[in-house]
Amino acid sequence: MRLKQNAISFSLPSILIASFLFAAVAMTVYSQSAIARSILPEQKEAASARDAVGDAMSKLDDLNKRIKSQEELIAKEQERLQQYQNDKAQTERDLEAKKAVFEQKSKVLDEAWKDRSSY
């Protein structure tokens, strides 16, 4: 009977140790699953923020292209305006020169009429 008691008494601490180990493992697994929560909301928020950054960069790129195009158009129009202003200045000089010639020719014609009338 003594052998039986020793076997039982020896088995009881083994059972207690095994139960303790099982409980410890179960608590560890349960606590890890509780700690390891879902990060899906954070992933969605990060993806949404990344998309917003991409959209903003695309919009900025588009605006930069529009600005460059407009600046090129303005430069061409300023060049055309400068040419018109140069043409105007040249035409005004030509007009003054032609007026001077006209006045001179008109005086000569007036003199010719006067000379003719005196005959």
Side-chain angles (χ1 to χ4, degrees):
M1 181 84 151
R2 193 154 174 77
L3 184 60
K4 204 173 181 181
Q5 258 183 353
N6 282 344
I8 293 175
S9 66
F10 184 70
S11 293
L12 187 59
S14 300
I15 292 173
L16 287 174
I17 290 172
S19 296
F20 176 75
L21 287 174
F22 177 76
V25 168
M27 285 178 29
T28 303
V29 168
Y30 176 74
S31 67
Q32 284 178 351
S33 66
I35 291 172
R37 64 180 178 79
S38 173
I39 60 169
L40 186 61
E42 287 85 356
Q43 288 175 324
K44 286 182 179 179
E45 289 176 6
S48 177
R50 181 194 64 230
D51 292 344
V53 168
D55 291 345
M57 289 175 67
S58 293
K59 185 176 181 180
L60 181 61
D61 185 49
D62 182 53
L63 288 170
N64 282 333
K65 287 177 183 175
R66 288 182 182 193
I67 288 169
K68 183 177 179 182
S69 175
Q70 194 66 33
E71 287 172 342
E72 289 171 357
L73 180 64
I74 289 170
K76 287 178 185 175
E77 290 300 317
Q78 285 177 332
E79 188 177 308
R80 187 183 318 190
L81 175 62
Q82 185 65 45
Q83 185 60 45
Y84 288 157
Q85 289 171 335
N86 292 343
D87 290 349
K88 178 185 173 193
Q90 183 61 45
T91 303
E92 287 173 343
R93 286 189 298 272
D94 291 347
L95 175 61
E96 291 303 315
K98 289 177 183 183
K99 279 183 181 179
V101 169
F102 172 70
E103 288 175 9
Q104 182 185 15
K105 300 288 181 180
S106 291
K107 286 181 184 178
V108 170
L109 179 61
D110 287 344
E111 291 296 322
W113 276 107
K114 285 182 189 177
D115 288 345
R116 184 176 175 194
S117 296
S118 63
Y119 290 117

